[in-house]
Every structure is written in C-alpha cells, then in structure tokens.
Amino acid sequence: MNVIIIEDEKPSARRLSRQLAQLDVEASTMLHSVEEAIAWFQNNAHPDLIFLDIQLSDGLSFEIFDAVDVQSAIIFTTAYDEYALQAFKLNSIDYLLKPIDDDELENAVKKYKAVKPDAQKMTLDFEDIKKLLVNPLEREYKKRFTAKVGQHLKIINADEVECFYSENKGTYAATSDGRNYLLDTTLENLEVELEPKIFFRVSRKHYVNINHINDIVAYTNSRLKIKLNRYIDQEIIVSRERVKDFKLWLE
C-alpha cells in the first residue's frame, strides 16, 4: 500500500508516520504545503491513500485538487472541531481529529483496507465541502433539540444542556434540571451542530457545556476530571490527548 502524508507541521507528520509504522504501514512521502503537494502530484504516480491535513501553511489543502486530478483515497486530518467533519466522513474513507489517537488511526486504516475503493470511482465534491468551511462566527448552530417522552415531544434548549453523552449505543442530553433525554442522533453528528465556543468534546463519550462546569480537578495520567452542576451519572474525564486543546478552549 502506497501512502503519503500531507501535513504542514513536520513534527505532526513524523508522529503520524511513526504511528502508521506501528500498523505496518509505511508513509513513503511527507509533503508540507499546497505548492509542494501540487508539484509532487504532477511528477509522481498517485498513491493508494493520502492522509490530508485540511489547513496547510499556504492555504486549504482543497486547493491541491483545483490544480491536480488526484486519484487516491483520502483520510482527512484536522485540529478544528468547528469544521464540518460529517461532510468529510461522507466524502472520504474517514477523518481523524488531531492529536490523532492510535486506536482511531488503526480503525481508519482497517476501514480503508476493507473497502479498498477503486481510485477511478473516487468522487470527492470538494466544492460542497468547502462551502461548509465557513467562518464559525457566520454559521448557525443548533439552538434546540427534541426528545420523545412517551407520546410527547420534549423541546430542549441547547443552553439548558449540561452535557451530551453516549451510553449503551444511545446519545443523551443531560439538562440543568437533572433530567436525561434520549436523542435521535450521535455524538459524531453533534460535532457539526454544536456551537464550538460553548460545547467541547472532552472524550469519546462526553460533550460538555462550558456554562455548566462547576469544577475541574487534576486526575490520573495527566488527565482532568470535570464536575458539572447537576450531572453525576458518569465521571467526565478529559482524555489526555485533548487536555491541551481543552485548556485553550477554556480561555
């Protein structure tokens, strides 16, 4: 399998290369800018798979495809929660949120190997994806959710939700009145619906609302534990990989 990495931060590119090596996948080439990538694709056979950072030092990586008809499968990588990650999932093999988790990377590679898309049939509508990469200040985020309670529909205002969490394959909203409501959605879908200044995904299982955080305390293995005003059903632990971004988000 011929794999390349397009990532403007060289330490991140090297780290991803090492992670892939642990999965017996060799990244033959690392590119670091739109300009460098265009030149490379114009003079080399296209790889089977590209790990593609969205924001490069000289522009969005989509500009590469304006200049070159790339015939490769793509796994997007991004550090920006506010990007419309659902669109990438629909148009690519997968996406990975940086810093890249080893297990999530392994799952993405397994998914690629299982699908092995025919390069000639890869159709990525980058124009549609780019339309979703608008300034987050200009985007409209979801203000209300609905949950079925018996024969009724309960309207839940987003600002009343202390956290969203997953449990037993269900996604729940825990509200400031101490109630938990089952929603017809997933945490992955919420990534494109929630206001990123208000909600942060601290782990695979929890999104928290900054306005309902009561306390933050040090936890084992350089992690953090969050205490909300009412929600106590599960411990909310900020995963070690997301502690740095979480601290930046708090500011």
Side-chain angles (χ1 to χ4, degrees), residues 11 18 24 45-46 49 73 92 115 138 140 189 194 199 249:
R18 290 194 298 269
D24 294 323
H46 293 192
L49 178 62
S92 67
V115 176
E138 298 173 358
E140 285 292 327
N189 288 340
L194 297 176
F199 290 93
W249 174 73

Side-chain angles (χ1 to χ4, degrees), residues 133-223:
L133 301 185
V134 296
N135 186 325
L137 295 177
E138 298 173 358
R139 286 182 49 189
E140 285 292 327
Y141 294 97
K142 200 159 184 177
K143 300 292 193 301
R144 291 179 298 277
F145 297 84
T146 58
K148 188 175 182 181
V149 181
Q151 298 301 312
H152 303 271
L153 282 179
K154 167 71 175 177
I155 298 174
I156 305 166
N157 291 322
D159 58 7
E160 297 173 353
V161 177
E162 290 197 348
C163 72
F164 295 94
Y165 66 96
S166 62
E167 185 176 60
N168 297 326
K169 298 183 179 181
T171 300
Y172 295 83
T175 57
S176 55
D177 61 358
R179 301 285 299 276
N180 298 328
Y181 297 95
L182 178 62
L183 304 179
D184 185 20
T185 188
T186 65
L187 290 186
E188 285 69 30
N189 288 340
L190 289 175
E191 288 182 359
V192 299
E193 297 177 339
L194 297 176
E195 165 60 68
K197 290 185 178 180
I198 304 299
F199 290 93
F200 186 90
R201 190 169 186 176
V202 298
S203 67
R204 292 184 182 182
K205 298 184 67 174
H206 286 96
Y207 261 104
V208 297
N209 185 331
I210 193 170
N211 296 316
H212 293 280
I213 294 177
N214 181 270
D215 196 11
I216 304 170
V217 296
Y219 198 67
T220 58
N221 295 327
S222 302
R223 295 176 295 171

